[in-house]
Every structure is written in structure tokens, then in C-alpha cells.
Amino acid sequence: MSDGAMLVEAAERLIGNRIDDAAMRRARAGEWLAAEWDALAGMGLPLALVDEDAGGFGVAPEDAFALVRLTGRHALPLPLAETMVANHALGRAGLPLAERAAVLIDGADLTVSAEDKGWRLSGTAARVPWGRDIGTLVVVHAGRVFRLDTGWAIAEAGTNLAAMPRDTLAIDARCDVAGTANGLSALQMGAVIRTLQIAGALERVLELTVGFVSERVQFGKPLSKFQAVQHDLARLGGEVAAAGAAADMAVEAFVGDPARAALPIAAARIRTGEAAGVAAGIAQQLHGAIGFTAEHRLHWYTTSLWSWRDEYGGQRYWTDMLGTATFTAGGAGFWQFVTEAA
């Protein structure tokens, strides 16, 4: 077993032990899980996506992204995936890494102006993950990466469907040093981590559903023995497999040539978003809707899936982007467009 694989295995044990049902309920009630975050940070997990020469510890990309997928598999109520990708952007830009939790945001809606050998960033950033808890805000704007440790305030506190913080921030910050982005936009990097998290969560949703229909008995036999249930399980399994393949494609695009990453990331993001919707519906139906209750684990996963599906772009944004590229290629160039994008 490689060092990276052992790291992933150790991280899964840590998350499994620390994020139990009680911890999940505390997080969903609005508590920042400080001890659990310190344990994750103590393992160095927030640095797993950072290149070794930028301060990382040499984790292979496939193992680092397996950690991101793991956060989805556990519906982790902490910004580990967000901090990993924020530190990746900082490392590639040659900027100091975050010392606390961090989040990467798209700065398109911010005003960035030159100011006395530096820059000033101002404006509003909507629905920033864990805006109230992070120590560093990483902004990608026009090919530049800005690292902010101060200069923002909560303009409006909010949560997503999974009851995780999504706060609107009022930003007015001075930044003396900026780095060059790695060739990917904040939306693209964010879409990749959400794609992996959706794929990880869907794997767990399938396990929960298979377990439920195998144990639940109706008319003297387990639900899993009914043909209609088996049909739905097959559909659910197909969606999980498709999401997993799409997530793998997103990872390949992330670590490959940034100039060719846009279309694979868009396609992967669209496919995992579609799988999230279909699979959540099937799983809820096969659970007899008991998964809608806040106490049931399926509730935690389906609300996370629906939330992640709408973040860092969302289905409409990525579908519009891919559709525009398709029409631009035209009928004569469609086959070449499909084969080259893949």
C-alpha cells in the first residue's frame, strides 16, 4: 500500500470516528466542530493538494482527490475540501498557505483596483461556504490569486439545505501581493471538488439504500426481493457509477492541461448534478420517505447532494456553457468537438 493510500485510509478512520451522529447534529445546529477540525488539520489534510515544493508533503494527486471524495462519502460538515483546493491555488500562485480553514471564491463580482503598489478588493461575495468560520479567503480574479486574512465581514448569515454555513460577505480589503492563477478559474476548481463530493456521497447513498431494502420486510419477504425495487436499485447503481466516472474525468482535467480542462469539467459537473437529483429521488422513494426526516442519515446525504449540485456554478451555468460550446462547434465540427473534448 502506498503512503498516499495509507493516508486516505487513516483519514477515513479519523472521520468515521470523529464525525458520528452526535457531531453531525451539532454541526447542523450551527456549531463549528473545532476539535474535529484540529484533528484533520493535525494530519496535514488541508495541505494534501499542495505541491511538495510549495509546502505540501508529496501526496499523489489521485490520493489527494480521494480525500476530497471521502469528504462527500461522510457528508463532512467541515470545509476540508474547500481548504484543500484553496491551498492548492495559493501554492501554485506562490503565496503563503492558509493557517486555518480557507475558502476559494470567484472574484468576478468584486471590484479589484490598483492602490499604492498593491490592490484593493471591494464588493459583496454571496453564499461563501463557512464564511463565518474561515481564517483565509482566496479570491481568483482575472487570472490573479489574492490571499485575504482580514477585510471582510458577514453581511448576511445563511445556510444551505444541509444547514451548513453559506454567508454573504462584505469585502473591503487591501492586498499587497498577488500571484498568478494555475490556469483554472475558481468556478472550475470548485466544480471539481463538488463533483467528487457528489460522487462520494452517492456511493454512501447506494449503500444505505441497499441496506434498508435488504432489512425491511413486507408481505413476508425483504423489499429487495421485489422486482420493482430491484429495478430501482439498478437505476440507482447506474447513476452512482456514472457519477463516479464523471468525477474521475474531472480529476484528469484538473491535473492535465488547463487549456483543455473547461469542457471535461463542465461535462463532469453536469453529469454528477444530474445523478444527484435522480439518485436522491430513488433513494428517498425506496426508503419510504423516512429519509426526509432530519434524524435519518439519508437526510444528511440528500440535502448535501442538493446543496452541492447548486454551488460553484450549478446545473444551468454549466449546461449553458457546454451548450454554447456545442453550438459554436456547429454541425460539421460536432464529432471532432466531442472526441477532442473527451
Side-chain angles (χ1 to χ4, degrees):
M1 182 181 289
S2 67
D3 292 344
M6 287 191 286
L7 177 67
V8 174
E9 189 175 292
E12 174 136 42
R13 281 198 304 273
L14 175 65
I15 294 173
N17 292 334
R18 290 275 189 167
I19 309 299
D20 55 12
D21 290 4
M24 189 67 84
R25 292 191 182 95
R26 286 192 285 122
R28 289 193 167 231
E31 179 180 335
W32 167 254
L33 303 181
E36 289 77 4
W37 174 258
D38 289 344
L40 296 172
M43 286 185 68
L45 301 184
L47 305 180
L49 263 177
V50 178
D51 298 330
E52 194 166 7
D53 57 2
F57 48 95
V59 179
E62 59 268 25
D63 295 322
F65 283 110
L67 289 171
V68 176
R69 198 165 180 151
L70 199 60
T71 66
R73 182 172 170 76
H74 289 270
L76 183 68
L78 286 167
L80 177 58
E82 288 85 349
T83 305
M84 288 172 65
V85 77
N87 274 326
H88 171 85
L90 289 172
R92 287 291 176 93
L95 297 174
L97 304 178
E99 297 176 1
R100 295 170 51 196
V103 163
L104 179 74
I105 67 168
D106 179 23
D109 293 333
L110 300 179
T111 298
V112 180
S113 54
E115 179 187 277
D116 190 23
K117 298 181 180 179
W119 292 268
R120 178 159 293 279
L121 287 74
S122 59
T124 301
R127 299 189 66 75
V128 175
W130 278 277
R132 72 197 69 171
D133 300 309
I134 58 173
T136 298
L137 192 61
V138 181
V139 181
V140 179
H141 177 89
R144 287 197 180 99
V145 177
F146 300 91
R147 180 185 190 272
L148 307 180
D149 293 323
T150 59
W152 72 81
I154 305 294
E156 181 179 356
T159 61
N160 63 12
L161 285 174
M164 296 297 109
R166 296 294 186 268
D167 302 318
T168 297
L169 304 183
I171 299 173
D172 184 15
R174 156 101 187 163
C175 189
D176 293 328
V177 181
T180 302
N182 62 359
L184 298 177
S185 70
L187 285 182
Q188 288 170 334
M189 288 186 275
V192 171
I193 64 170
R194 290 294 184 255
T195 296
L196 284 159
Q197 289 179 301
I198 288 172
L202 286 176
E203 292 168 357
R204 186 65 183 132
V205 165
L206 178 61
E207 292 173 2
L208 289 171
T209 306
V210 169
F212 182 84
V213 299
S214 300
E215 295 171 0
R216 188 82 171 182
V217 175
Q218 288 285 351
F219 306 111
K221 59 182 180 181
L223 289 176
S224 59
K225 297 298 182 183
F226 291 90
Q227 188 174 25
V229 172
Q230 292 172 349
H231 175 73
D232 278 346
L233 280 179
R235 289 178 56 214
L236 177 56
E239 293 298 325
V240 174
D248 291 340
M249 183 170 73
V251 169
E252 290 179 11
F254 192 106
V255 300
D257 181 0
R260 297 174 58 86
L263 296 180
I265 289 176
R269 181 64 183 76
I270 293 166
R271 187 63 186 91
T272 52
E274 180 181 348
V278 174
I282 295 172
Q284 289 287 1
Q285 185 174 23
L286 291 181
H287 275 77
I290 192 175
F292 274 105
T293 59
E295 292 77 15
H296 200 282
R297 286 192 173 196
L298 185 62
H299 175 87
W300 303 340
Y301 285 95
T302 51
T303 51
S304 295
L305 286 169
W306 291 326
S307 300
W308 292 334
R309 182 182 58 181
D310 294 334
E311 295 177 346
Y312 288 110
Q315 290 299 94
R316 179 171 180 176
Y317 172 84
W318 293 108
T319 303
D320 282 350
M321 182 261 182
L322 189 60
T324 299
T326 304
F327 282 113
T328 301
F334 180 71
W335 179 247
Q336 182 181 6
F337 167 79
V338 171
T339 54
E340 288 187 354

